[in-house]
C-alpha cells in the first residue's frame, strides 16, 4: 500500500512567460493506493499529474510531504533504502520512442535488469532467458521475433508493450502509466489499455494511470478510482463510473465534456460545457477557487474563499466546490445506432 | 505571375461545381535500399468545395504522404510516380515546379502541421514571422496580415498582442497549435490542409481547437482536408471521411453514414476500437495485429486481409474493387461485404 | 506477428541472428567505392608501418656517390642529400609517425570520452572539477607547450609523443561528449534504467556509450590526422632532437638543405607530404562508413 501525504512541489522560476515566478506544480496532494488497486490521475497538461507520478516513482523529489510504502515513511529511510523501495514502483513513460535505447538490441534491454533480478533471487543465466521470453509473451509480443530486433523495428504499440515487459522485470508492485497510450494510434490503444487491466487482475499489480482521457481510464479499470487534479490540487475523487455518470466539480465536467462526441452514434450530453480559456499557470488567484476564472458557475464567494476538499457519500467521493451539482455532460448513445 | 493566377482562378479545369480538388490514380513511391515501395496506390478522391474532408488512417497508412502529395511536396526519396491532383482555379499541380508551386503553397493551399512549433522559427517573434510570410507572397500591405492575425487570435481567445510579440517557446502547446492555425489561415487560402492538428494536445485544448476550426470553416466556407488517426476528431469535425489503409482508399462516406453504417471491416474495427465513455467497456475490441510497413504491404489481393476477421480465399489474390451504396455517396472495397449483400 | 511475416516473405523483419561487427563493417565499407579506396589506403599505410621497417637495416646506408639521384629501380623515389633512398626513409619513418599519431588519437579519445561522459552524467561537483580542468587544457596553447616540453623531453618513443599529444588535445572532445551526454541523460531510456536499479557504470557503458560511439569513432580517426600534423609540425620546426629519420624529420632536412631551390630534391620533399595527404585522404573517405557500422538504424538501411 502506498500513501501519498500532503505532497507539494514547487518549481523555481525559469524565466519566460510561463515561469516568471515559482510554479506550484502540486499543492498538498494526499491519496492512498491499496495493493492491486487502480487509480487514474486525470487532468489537462500542466495540472501536476505527471509530477505526482514521477514523485511516487522516485524520479523527482517533493518539496514537502511524505510517501509511506507499506507503513514505512520514506523520509525515515537512508537514500539507499529509499532507492530499493522505489524499485517497487515502475514508470511507463508517455513516449515509447524515447524510452528504449536505439543503439541496443531489445533482448539486451530486457536481460540487463533481469540479470540483476537473477542475482537477487539466486537464479542463473538460463532463468534470465526463460524469464525474458515469459515476460514478452505476457505482454503479447512474440519472443522469437522481438529479442534480436532493435527498437526502430517495432511499431509504437509494440514498443509500449515492450516497455511494459521491461518494467515487469523487477517484479514491481505498482505500475505508473504516464499518458502511456497518447502517442499510439487510436486503433492500437485499446490493446495496451486492456494489457494494463490484465496485469492488474492477473499479477495483482496496482496501476496508477495518468491521463487526460477519462474514457481510457475506464478501460484500464472500470471498477477503479479516479482522482481529478487541477493546478496541483485534487478537485474531485470517486469511483470511475460515478465520476463519469455524475461529475460534481465543474472542472471534471469540462474534462468529460471535451471528449469527442461520435456524432451519428452519440448525441452531446445535455449539460456539455467547454471553457474557452486555456489553463493559465500565470494566474495569481491564491485565496479563492483556482478554477474560478474558467468556471461558468463561479460567484464572489469563489474569489474570496478557497473551497476545501469535502467528503460525501460515506467517504467514497471527495470534491472541492462550493456549489456541487451532478451534471450530465457525457455523450448519450443514440438508440439503435450501435454497431 | 499574379495575372496568370487570376486567369486561372476562373477556370474549373473540368471539375464539377461541387468539387474543389480532384485526385486521380495517385501513386507515390519511396525509394528504399534500391527498391521502389508504394506509399500510395491508385488513390482517387474528390475534395468537396466548402466541406471538411477527413482522411483517416493509422501510422504508415500513407495519410501524411497524401497531404504532401496534395501540395506536390513529396520530397526525396519519395516521388509522385503517377496520377493527377487538379484544383479548381489552379489546375494540375503534380506537373508544377519551382516558383509556380511556391506561390500556390501558403496562398491558395496552406498547411497546418501536427507539431506547429516545428514549422515556426524559434528565434523570431511570431509577428515578425507573419510579416515575412506576407512579404514572401508579395502582398501589397503586409501590415494587413498582422491585423488579420490579431483578429484570428482574438477569436481563438488568445491575447493578440501577447501572441504576436512572443517567441514560440513562450507559448503553451495549445497556444502554439492555434498560432499554427493562424499561420494557415492568415493568407486566406482557398484550401486548408491540416495534418493531425490536435494529436499533441490534451482533450480540453483539442476540443477548443476543433471548435475554432469548425467556426472559421463555416464562416468562410473554407474547403478543408483533415488528416488524422483519431475517429473522435473526425466525428467532431468532418463532413466526409476517406479511410486509408496501407496506401489504398478502402472506404469513403459522409461522416454520419460511416459511423452508423461502416461497410469495410477495417472501418468497423477502427470504430469499435475507440475507448468510449458510454456503453459496456467489454463491447470495445482492440484491432488485432500491427499496421503494415511500406515493405510488408502485399502486392496483390486485399491490403487488409492479414488483420481481417472475414478473410476469404478470394482476398488473397484479387484486389477488391469499389462498390457504391447510398446514391453513390458511399463507396467501399471489400469482397466479404460485397458477397454478403449480393 | 508470426503469421504476418510468414505471409510476406522478405518483409521488413530483420534476420533472427545479428551479424557480427566484422560482417557489418564489411558490408558498410563495400557499399561505396570511396570507402573501399579509403580503407585500402589506411590498410596499406598500417601494413607499411608494421612490416616496412623490418625490410631495411636499422641504419639506412648513405651513398655520397648518389646525392639527389633521380628515380631508378634501386631508388624508386630517388635519393636524398646523403644518397639514402627516399622510399626507404618513407617506409622506415612511417612507423614512428603513424604509431605516435594512433596513440595520440587513442589517448585523446580515451581522456576526452571519459572526462566528457563522467562530467555530463554525474553533473554537480564532479562536473565542475572536470570542466575546470578541461577549460585549462583548452586554454593552454598546445603547440607552444609541446615546443617547451620538447626541450626537456626527447620524445624518442612514439608512446611519449602520443601521450603528450593526447594529454594536450582532449579538451574539445570532452566538451562535445559532455554535451551529448547531457542530452542523452534526459532521454527516457536512461531514466528507465535508473528506475530499474541498473548501476551508473552500467548506464554509462551500456546505455550512453553505444549512442555516442559513431561520434567517438569518427573523432578517433580525425584525431589520427590531427596527431600526424602536430608531430610532423614539431619535427619540421626542428624543435625536437631526433635520433632516427621520419616524415617530419625528412621535411625539416629537405627545407634545411635547400630543397626548395634544387629541382632534383623535389621528390625528397614531396614524398612525405604526399604520404601525409594520402593518409588524411584515406581517413576522410572512410569516415562516413562509421555512422553506418555503429548506428543500428542505418545498418539495415
Amino acid at each position: 500500500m502506498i500513501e501519498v501525504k500532503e505532497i507539494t512541489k514547487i518549481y523555481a522560476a525559469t524565466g519566460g512567460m510561463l515561469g516568471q515566478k515559482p510554479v506550484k506544480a502540486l499543492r498538498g496532494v494526499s491519496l492512498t493506493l491499496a495493493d492491486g488497486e487502480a487509480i487514474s490521475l486525470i487532468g489537462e497538461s500542466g495540472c501536476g499529474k505527471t509530477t505526482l507520478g514521477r514523485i511516487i516513482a522516485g524520479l523527482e523529489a517533493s518539496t514537502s510531504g511524505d510517501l509511506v510504502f507499506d507503513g514505512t515513511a520514506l523520509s525515515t529511510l537512508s537514500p539507499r533504502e529509499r532507492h530499493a523501495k522505489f524499485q517497487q514502483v515502475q514508470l511507463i513513460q508517455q513516449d515509447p520512442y524515447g524510452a528504449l535505447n536505439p543503439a541496443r538490441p531489445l533482448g539486451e534491454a530486457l536481460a540487463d535488469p533481469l540479470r540483476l533480478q537473477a542475482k537477487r533471487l539466486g537464479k542463473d543465466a538460463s532463468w534470465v532467458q526463460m524469464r525474458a521470453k515469459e515476460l514478452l509473451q505476457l505482454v503479447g509480443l512474440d519472443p522469437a521475433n522481438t529479442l534480436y530486433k532493435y527498437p526502430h523495428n517495432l511499431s509504437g504499440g509494440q514498443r509500449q508493450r515492450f516497455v511494459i515487459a521491461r518494467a515487469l522485470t523487477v517484479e514491481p508492485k505498482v505500475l505508473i502509466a504516464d499518458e502511456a497510450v497518447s502517442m499510439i494510434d487510436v486503433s492500437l490503444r485499446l490493446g495496451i489499455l486492456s494489457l494494463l487491466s490484465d496485469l492488474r487482475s492477473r499479477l495483482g499489480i496496482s496501476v496508477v494511470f495518468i491521463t487526460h482521457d477519462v474514457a481510457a481510464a475506464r478501460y484500464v479499470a472500470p471498477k477503479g478510482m479516479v482522482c481529478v487534479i487541477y493546478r496541483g490540487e485534487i478537485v474531485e475523487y470517486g469511483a470511475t463510473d460515478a465520476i463519469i455518470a455524475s461529475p460534481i466539480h465543474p472542472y471534471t465536467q469540462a474534462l468529460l465534456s471535451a471528449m469527442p462526441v461520435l456524432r451519428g452514434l452519440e448525441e452531446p450530453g445535455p449539460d456539455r460545457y467547454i471553457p474557452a480559456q486555456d489553463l493559465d499557470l500565470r494566474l495569481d488567484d491564491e485565496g479563492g477557487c483556482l478554477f474560478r476564472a474558467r468556471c461558468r458557475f463561479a460567484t464572489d464567494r469563489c474569489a474570496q474563499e478557497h473551497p476545501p476538499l469535502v467528503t460525501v457519500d460515506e467517504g467514497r467521493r471527495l470534491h472541492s466546490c462550493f456549489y456541487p451539482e451532478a451534471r450530465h455532460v457525457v455523450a448519450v448513445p443514440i438508440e439503435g445506432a450501435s454497431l | 505571375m499574379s495575372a496568370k493566377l487570376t486567369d486561372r482562378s476562373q477556370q474549373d479545369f473540368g471539375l464539377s461545381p461541387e468539387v474543389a480538388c480532384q485526385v486521380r490514380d495517385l501513386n507515390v513511391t519511396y525509394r528504399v535500399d534500391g527498391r521502389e515501395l508504394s506509399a500510395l496506390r491508385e488513390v482517387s478522391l474528390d475534395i468537396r468545395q466548402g466541406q471538411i474532408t477527413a482522411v483517416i488512417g493509422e501510422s504508415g497508412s500513407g495519410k501524411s504522404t497524401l497531404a504532401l502529395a496534395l501540395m506536390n511536396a513529396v520530397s526525396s526519396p519519395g516521388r509522385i510516380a503517377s496520377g493527377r491532383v487538379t484544383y479548381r482555379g489552379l489546375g494540375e499541380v503534380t506537373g508544377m515546379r519551382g516558383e509556380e508551386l511556391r506561390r500556390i503553397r501558403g496562398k491558395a493551399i496552406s498547411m497546418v502541421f501536427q507539431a506547429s512549433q516545428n514549422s515556426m522559427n524559434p528565434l523570431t517573434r511570431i509577428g515578425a514571422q507573419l510579416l515575412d510570410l506576407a512579404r514572401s507572397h508579395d502582398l501589397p500591405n503586409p501590415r494587413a496580415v498582422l491585423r488579420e492575425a490579431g483578429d484570428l487570435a482574438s477569436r481563438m481567445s488568445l491575447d493578440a498582442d501577447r501572441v504576436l510579440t512572443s517567441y514560440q517557446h513562450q507559448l503553451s502547446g495549445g497556444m502554439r497549435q492555434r498560432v499554427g492555425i493562424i499561420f494557415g489561415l492568415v493568407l486566406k487560402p482557398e484550401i486548408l490542409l491540416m495534418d493531425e492538428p490536435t494529436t499533441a494536445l490534451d482533450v480540453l485544448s483539442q476540443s477548443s481547437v476543433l471548435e475554432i476550426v469548425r467556426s472559421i470553416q463555416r464562416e468562410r466556407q473554407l474547403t478543408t482536408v483533415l488528416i488524422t488517426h483519431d475517429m473522435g476528431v473526425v466525428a467532431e469535425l468532418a463532413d466526409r471521411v476517406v479511410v486509408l489503409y496501407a496506401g489504398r482508399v478502402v472506404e469513403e462516406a459522409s461522416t454520419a453514414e460511416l459511423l452508423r453504417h461502416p461497410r469495410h471491416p477495417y472501418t468497423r474495427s477502427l470504430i469499435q476500437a475507440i475507448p468510449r465513455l458510454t456503453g459496456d467497456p467489454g463491447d470495445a475490441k482492440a484491432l488485432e495485429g500491427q499496421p503494415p510497413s511500406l515493405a510488408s504491404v502485399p502486392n496483390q489481393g486485399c491490403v487488409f486481409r492479414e488483420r481481417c476477421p472475414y478473410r476469404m480465399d478470394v482476398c488473397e489474390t484479387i484486389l477488391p474493387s469499389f462498390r457504391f451504396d447510398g446514391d453513390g455517396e458511399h463507396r467501399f472495397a471489400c469482397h466479404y461485404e460485397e458477397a454478403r449483400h449480393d | 506477428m508470426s503469421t504476418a511475416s510468414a505471409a510476406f516473405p522478405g518483409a521488413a523483419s530483420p534476420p533472427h541472428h545479428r551479424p557480427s561487427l566484422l560482417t557489418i563493417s564489411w558490408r558498410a565499407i563495400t557499399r561505396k567505392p570511396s570507402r573501399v579506396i579509403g580503407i585500402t589506403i589506411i590498410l596499406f599505410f598500417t601494413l607499411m608501418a608494421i612490416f616496412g621497417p623490418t625490410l631495411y637495416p636499422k641504419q639506412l646506408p648513405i651513398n655520397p656517390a648518389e646525392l639527389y639521384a633521380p628515380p631508378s629501380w634501386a631508388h624508386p623515389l630517388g635519393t636524398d642529400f646523403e644518397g639514402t633512398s627516399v622510399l626507404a626513409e618513407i617506409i622506415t619513418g612511417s612507423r614512428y609517425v603513424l604509431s605516435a599519431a594512433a596513440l595520440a588519437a587513442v589517448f585523446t579519445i580515451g581522456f576526452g570520452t571519459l572526462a566528457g561522459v563522467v562530467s555530463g552524467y554525474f553533473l554537480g561537483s564532479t562536473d565542475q572539477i572536470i570542466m575546470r580542468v578541461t577549460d585549462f587544457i583548452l586554454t593552454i596553447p598546445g603547440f607552444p607547450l609541446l615546443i617547451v616540453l620538447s626541450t626537456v623531453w626527447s620524445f624518442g618513443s612514439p608512446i611519449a609523443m602520443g601521450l603528450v599529444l593526447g594529454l594536450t588535445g582532449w579538451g574539445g572532445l570532452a566538451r562535445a561528449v559532455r554535451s551529448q551526454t547531457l542530452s542523452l541523460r534526459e532521454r527516457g531510456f536512461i531514466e528507465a534504467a535508473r528506475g530499474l536499479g541498473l548501476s551508473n557504470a552500467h548506464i554509462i557503458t551500456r546505455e550512453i556509450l553505444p549512442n555516442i560511439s559513431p561520434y567517438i569513432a569518427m573523432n578517433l580517426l580525425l584525431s589520427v590526422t590531427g596527431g600526424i600534423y602536430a608531430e610532423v609540425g614539431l619535427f619540421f620546426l626542428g624543435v625536437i632532437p631526433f635520433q632516427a629519420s621520419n616524415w617530419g624529420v625528412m621535411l625539416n632536412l629537405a627545407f634545411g638543405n635547400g630543397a626548395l631551390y634544387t629541382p632534383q630534391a623535389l621528390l625528397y620533399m614531396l614524398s612525405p607530404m604526399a604520404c601525409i595527404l594520402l593518409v588524411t585522404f584515406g581517413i576522410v573517405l572512410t569516415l562516413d562508413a562509421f555512422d553506418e557500422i555503429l548506428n543500428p538504424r542505418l545498418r539495415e538501411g
Side-chain angles (χ1 to χ4, degrees):
Chain A
M1 188 167 91
I2 293 181
E3 290 160 85
V4 174
K5 293 202 161 158
E6 283 298 318
I7 292 274
T8 64
K9 176 77 187 182
I10 298 171
Y11 288 106
T14 51
M17 284 201 162
L18 294 171
Q20 277 142 350
K21 50 179 188 276
V23 174
K24 293 186 176 176
L26 293 171
R27 306 170 189 244
V29 171
S30 301
L31 48 93
T32 306
L33 177 66
D35 287 339
E37 199 195 16
I39 187 163
S40 304
L41 307 181
I42 308 234
E44 66 203 300
S45 315
C47 75
K49 58 191 195 300
T50 295
T51 307
L52 181 57
R54 292 174 58 81
I55 288 173
I56 300 174
L59 296 168
E60 250 175 79
S62 58
T63 309
S64 70
D66 206 351
L67 293 171
V68 182
F69 282 27
D70 297 320
T72 314
L74 295 195
S75 56
T76 63
L77 300 180
S78 70
R80 184 176 287 272
E81 290 167 322
R82 210 178 301 147
H83 192 72
K85 284 276 181 198
F86 277 130
Q87 262 193 43
Q88 302 173 1
V89 183
Q90 288 295 320
L91 181 79
I92 312 293
Q93 297 157 347
Q94 171 177 19
D95 175 9
Y97 295 84
L100 295 170
N101 189 339
R104 304 190 66 210
L106 294 167
E108 288 181 26
L110 217 49
D112 291 337
L114 278 175
R115 274 188 215 113
L116 279 185
Q117 189 71 4
K119 213 196 266 173
R120 245 173 256 140
L121 303 173
K123 308 279 188 180
D124 59 2
S126 65
W127 180 85
V128 170
Q129 290 289 318
M130 186 205 73
R131 189 79 184 127
K133 287 184 182 148
E134 223 171 69
L135 286 173
L136 287 177
Q137 275 157 354
L138 186 67
V139 299
L141 291 172
D142 174 11
N145 222 339
T146 309
L147 286 169
Y148 292 97
K149 288 187 178 178
Y150 280 91
H152 70 264
N153 299 124
L154 303 189
S155 72
Q158 288 172 319
R159 281 179 205 226
Q160 202 57 292
R161 284 173 191 270
F162 184 87
V163 169
I164 293 172
R166 185 181 62 185
L168 293 176
T169 54
V170 291
E171 290 164 39
K173 289 185 172 171
V174 181
L175 277 186
I176 300 183
D178 182 7
E179 300 274 11
V181 295
S182 71
M183 291 182 73
I184 293 168
D185 271 313
V186 172
S187 59
L188 301 173
R189 284 185 189 172
L190 208 59
I192 307 282
L193 297 176
S194 37
L195 172 63
L196 287 171
S197 160
D198 275 3
L199 292 176
R200 195 185 65 82
S201 53
R202 283 166 61 187
L203 306 178
I205 295 179
S206 319
V207 174
V208 178
F209 186 65
I210 299 174
T211 186
H212 58 87
D213 178 348
V214 193
R218 204 168 157 249
Y219 289 83
V220 173
K223 300 269 177 283
M225 303 304 279
V226 162
C227 178
V228 183
I229 300 179
Y230 184 68
R231 293 184 64 189
E233 256 182 16
I234 295 179
V235 296
E236 189 163 0
Y237 174 87
T240 308
D241 284 345
I243 295 270
I244 291 172
S246 53
I248 295 174
H249 196 284
Y251 180 60
T252 315
Q253 293 162 5
L255 279 176
L256 288 164
S257 297
M259 294 295 295
V261 175
L262 295 179
R263 289 165 207 274
L265 298 179
E266 299 170 338
E267 295 272 9
D271 302 323
R272 191 178 199 217
Y273 167 71
I274 298 161
Q277 273 107 339
D278 273 349
L279 172 63
D280 193 344
L281 296 172
R282 299 172 309 153
L283 274 187
D284 188 17
D285 39 14
E286 313 269 318
C289 172
L290 294 171
F291 187 58
R292 68 175 188 272
R294 299 165 79 189
C295 181
R296 63 177 162 157
F297 309 108
T299 65
D300 287 347
R301 189 183 173 198
C302 304
Q304 266 129 43
E305 274 178 74
H306 183 78
L309 198 57
V310 294
T311 306
V312 287
D313 201 10
E314 291 161 356
R316 285 192 297 272
R317 190 76 176 260
L318 301 170
H319 71 82
S320 67
C321 182
F322 289 130
Y323 309 103
E325 190 185 328
R327 294 189 178 86
H328 190 182
V329 296
V330 168
V332 189
I334 297 169
E335 285 294 315
S338 68
L339 291 169
Chain B
M1 189 62 229
S2 56
K4 207 165 151 197
L5 273 180
T6 24
D7 284 346
R8 285 190 168 198
S9 66
Q10 303 307 318
Q11 294 178 32
D12 61 10
F13 295 93
L15 306 188
S16 56
E18 73 274 15
V19 178
C21 168
Q22 190 188 59
V23 179
R24 286 293 172 271
D25 297 317
L26 187 65
N27 285 290
V28 175
T29 60
Y30 282 87
R31 192 167 182 83
V32 180
D33 216 15
R35 285 196 296 167
E36 290 276 338
L37 303 175
S38 291
L40 290 178
R41 297 160 186 248
E42 297 161 37
V43 170
S44 295
L45 53 98
D46 290 341
I47 290 160
R48 301 200 180 176
Q49 190 76 46
Q51 291 197 358
I52 303 183
T53 304
V55 176
I56 190 168
E58 290 168 283
S59 326
S61 62
K63 57 186 193 300
S64 293
T65 304
L66 178 59
L68 293 173
L70 287 176
M71 293 179 80
N72 189 7
V74 180
S75 57
S76 181
R79 66 186 180 95
I80 296 177
S82 63
R84 282 172 296 126
V85 177
T86 314
Y87 288 90
R88 159 180 311 280
L90 293 176
E92 211 282 317
V93 294
T94 63
M96 289 186 187
R97 291 285 169 271
E99 190 62 2
E100 196 177 12
L101 209 51
R102 192 184 72 80
R103 297 269 163 174
I104 288 176
R105 291 182 196 156
K107 180 82 181 79
I109 315 165
S110 84
M111 186 143 174
V112 177
F113 293 95
Q114 174 174 1
S116 285
Q117 62 268 35
N118 295 348
S119 47
M120 286 182 231
N121 182 344
L123 302 176
T124 316
R125 292 177 197 274
I126 304 293
Q129 292 185 52
L130 283 164
L131 281 176
D132 287 346
L133 182 69
R135 290 199 196 99
S136 70
H137 285 278
D138 296 333
L139 294 196
N141 184 4
R143 291 269 147 202
V145 168
L146 279 190
R147 222 172 305 126
E148 168 78 11
D151 290 349
L152 284 167
S154 320
R155 288 201 52 182
M156 299 183 184
S157 47
L158 295 174
D159 175 348
D161 291 336
R162 179 184 156 197
V163 166
L164 293 179
T165 54
S166 293
Y167 293 98
Q168 56 123 320
H169 69 265
Q170 295 170 322
L171 306 173
S172 71
M175 287 161 93
R176 266 181 231 162
Q177 204 55 34
R178 279 174 229 197
V179 171
I181 293 171
I182 293 177
F183 270 82
L185 290 172
V186 80
L187 296 180
K188 302 209 162 100
E190 318 269 320
I191 294 180
L192 181 66
L193 289 181
M194 295 196 292
D195 189 0
E196 303 273 15
T198 62
T199 297
L201 305 180
D202 63 45
V203 279
L204 274 170
S205 302
Q206 163 169 300
S207 88
S208 52
V209 167
L210 294 181
E211 183 52 43
I212 290 159
V213 174
R214 190 167 26 221
S215 68
I216 292 174
Q217 190 271 339
R218 285 221 183 104
E219 176 190 300
R220 298 192 179 174
Q221 290 298 303
L222 188 63
T223 307
T224 305
V225 181
L226 170 73
I227 310 271
T228 181
H229 67 107
D230 190 341
M231 194 61 97
V233 172
V234 171
E236 283 279 358
L237 210 54
D239 299 301
R240 286 189 74 74
V241 196
V242 175
V243 184
L244 210 57
Y245 188 83
R248 283 189 187 279
V249 175
V250 296
E251 185 160 9
E252 179 186 348
S254 72
T255 308
E257 164 77 6
L258 189 97
L259 281 168
R260 220 170 298 162
H261 308 293
R263 302 296 293 274
H264 199 282
Y266 175 62
T267 316
R268 206 172 299 139
S269 359
L270 265 189
I271 297 169
Q272 273 174 340
I274 307 171
R276 287 169 67 180
L277 283 170
T278 53
D280 183 354
D283 285 349
K285 282 184 205 75
L287 187 51
E288 295 295 322
Q290 298 297 326
S293 71
L294 277 188
S296 67
V297 178
N299 276 320
Q300 57 169 0
C302 173
V303 282
F304 183 61
R305 65 170 188 266
E306 283 304 321
R307 297 166 80 185
C308 182
Y310 310 109
R311 180 173 172 173
M312 304 184 299
D313 287 345
V314 61
C315 306
E316 306 287 330
T317 48
I318 298 168
L319 179 75
S321 53
F322 279 111
R323 254 188 79 115
F324 291 85
D325 215 358
D327 305 329
E329 289 287 284
H330 188 165
R331 61 174 172 145
F332 57 92
C334 173
H335 289 303
Y336 173 79
E337 271 298 298
E338 205 170 316
R340 203 161 72 118
H341 286 269
D342 279 346
Chain C
M1 242 349 275
S2 56
T3 53
S5 47
F8 309 127
S13 60
H16 277 210
H17 60 92
R18 269 172 296 134
S20 70
L21 196 65
L22 208 67
T23 327
I24 293 165
S25 310
W26 177 252
R27 257 190 238 150
I29 284 165
T30 50
R31 193 191 298 277
K32 285 188 184 167
S34 62
R35 295 175 185 170
V36 177
I37 297 170
I39 203 80
T40 312
I41 294 174
I42 292 174
L43 279 177
F44 173 76
F45 277 98
T46 311
L47 293 175
M48 180 199 280
I50 295 172
F51 301 110
T54 58
L55 304 175
Y56 296 92
K58 206 153 184 155
Q59 197 66 46
L60 290 177
I62 54 172
N63 184 355
E66 280 193 304
L67 302 186
Y68 290 134
S72 64
W73 280 114
H75 311 297
L77 293 174
T79 63
D80 68 359
F81 61 96
E82 292 179 314
T84 309
S85 170
V86 170
L87 180 66
E89 277 187 88
I90 288 284
I91 292 176
T92 51
S94 66
R95 185 180 277 180
Y96 181 95
V97 173
L98 294 178
S99 57
L103 283 167
V106 169
F107 286 126
T108 306
I109 297 301
F111 298 137
T113 308
L114 187 72
V117 168
V118 168
S119 193
Y121 181 73
F122 290 103
L123 295 178
S125 51
T126 320
D127 181 43
Q128 292 283 324
I129 294 166
I130 296 179
M131 278 304 115
R132 289 303 78 75
V133 177
T134 310
D135 289 344
F136 174 69
I137 294 285
L138 282 171
T139 331
I140 49 167
F143 205 70
L145 176 76
L146 285 172
I147 295 176
V148 174
L149 272 179
S150 62
T151 59
V152 293
W153 208 349
S154 76
F155 294 120
S157 87
I159 298 179
M161 174 59 96
L163 188 64
V164 169
L165 287 176
L167 274 176
T168 53
W170 56 268
L173 183 75
R175 279 248 170 235
V177 168
R178 175 177 176 271
S179 74
Q180 294 212 3
T181 308
L182 278 179
S183 79
L184 279 171
R185 203 176 183 278
E186 301 303 317
R187 299 274 289 277
F189 62 87
I190 302 289
E191 191 163 84
R194 273 203 223 115
L196 291 165
L198 298 170
S199 67
N200 288 330
H202 174 100
I203 293 175
I204 287 178
T205 55
R206 310 303 296 278
E207 310 284 349
I208 293 179
L209 281 182
N211 278 289
I212 51 178
S213 59
Y215 180 77
I216 291 174
M218 284 189 218
N219 265 283
L220 183 74
L221 280 188
L222 285 175
S223 304
V224 173
T225 60
I228 294 178
Y229 288 130
E231 53 170 319
V232 166
L234 286 174
F235 284 110
F236 173 68
L237 288 180
V239 292
I240 301 178
F242 47 84
Q243 290 102 357
S245 183
N246 66 44
W247 300 352
V249 173
M250 288 170 77
L251 282 172
N252 172 284
L253 293 176
F255 277 80
N257 288 291
L260 274 182
Y261 313 107
T262 21
Q264 300 115 302
L266 200 62
L267 270 177
Y268 177 49
M269 190 177 69
L270 287 185
S271 301
M273 283 185 181
C275 287
I276 294 166
L277 279 180
L278 259 180
V279 174
T280 312
F281 185 58
I283 284 172
V284 169
L285 285 184
T286 322
L287 273 185
D288 69 331
F290 275 87
D291 212 18
E292 221 165 275
I293 292 169
L294 295 167
N295 183 341
R297 187 184 279 272
L298 295 174
R299 203 182 286 164
E300 284 158 23

